[in-house]
Amino acid sequence: MLKISEMTEAILKRAEGRYEVNIPDTFGFALPPNDVDSATVQLKRIGNEGAGWRTVLIAAFPFDLAKIQSAFRWGADIRDLLPEPQIADLYMFMLIESISQEDAARLEADDRFCRKIVAREPEDVDSFLDRSFLAILSPIGRSDTISDPLLASLSSLGREHSWVVPHLDTWRELLLSGKSGGDIAEDLKISAFSDEESQ
């Protein structure tokens, strides 16, 4: 099973060059439950002045309904303390020992309080993070992974036009956000050209 130290180290590695990192102490944050091992990491996109903090709560414990409820209460308490724009960027990475695939999928589908990603038993830290906003744009042509057409297109765009590389993760999230076409177009314009307009 994945460990908190392993997860935190992998997050910091993936954040290099992409995110500013803050490891908050408990001051200003709700205390985690005593029966759940936990850590908190905050990430803010580098080079995007308007970006807010993404808060990642990491909880590790053996499968137990009471501990799951404790973790959920912690997530709800943190959500209540975050300023309004950051509420949408609250994530919980759950490392639950001996959880079944069905229970893990059910917990992930429950998006009350925050978005949740639950580690599966055989999963390594890289495949876990690839299911989150910290996913790496995979190079085209790798035979060991299923090709994602959106990732392949964005990766190709980045090779052709180097100025877009800092925007690719944001653009991918916008394109997958489920917003209307007009809203996505406006957000893409702001993301790409807001720095130029401020100069």
Side-chain angles (χ1 to χ4, degrees), residues 64-141:
D64 177 272
L65 294 178
K67 291 182 191 302
I68 291 170
Q69 289 305 315
S70 290
F72 282 5
R73 273 193 300 278
W74 179 44
D77 290 344
I78 295 289
R79 186 180 190 276
D80 289 344
L81 295 172
L82 289 173
E84 183 59 42
Q86 293 180 29
I87 289 172
D89 286 322
L90 177 61
Y91 302 83
M92 183 175 286
F93 291 178
M94 304 183 83
L95 315 177
I96 305 174
E97 189 178 330
S98 302
I99 191 168
S100 70
Q101 299 282 350
E102 296 80 20
D103 287 330
R106 195 171 65 254
L107 289 177
E108 287 183 346
D110 178 0
D111 61 357
R112 288 175 298 164
F113 316 122
C114 62
R115 297 178 202 161
K116 300 169 193 77
I117 303 175
V118 182
R120 305 310 201 259
E121 276 300 328
E123 191 170 38
D124 65 18
V125 71
D126 286 325
S127 61
F128 179 93
L129 290 177
D130 283 343
R131 295 192 293 122
S132 76
F133 68 91
L134 288 163
I136 296 174
L137 291 176
S138 59
I140 299 171

Side-chain angles (χ1 to χ4, degrees), residues 14 18-19 45 126-127 129-142 144-160 164-165 167-176:
R14 292 228 180 165
R18 296 170 64 192
Y19 294 95
R45 169 90 42 213
D126 286 325
S127 61
L129 290 177
D130 283 343
R131 295 192 293 122
S132 76
F133 68 91
L134 288 163
I136 296 174
L137 291 176
S138 59
I140 299 171
R142 281 184 51 182
D144 59 337
T145 59
I146 296 172
S147 179
D148 179 337
L150 180 57
L151 288 178
S153 297
L154 291 172
S155 181
S156 176
L157 180 65
R159 283 195 303 278
E160 292 291 321
V164 305
V165 171
H167 303 287
L168 292 180
D169 288 333
T170 302
W171 291 359
R172 180 176 184 269
E173 288 178 25
L174 288 171
L175 292 169
L176 296 174

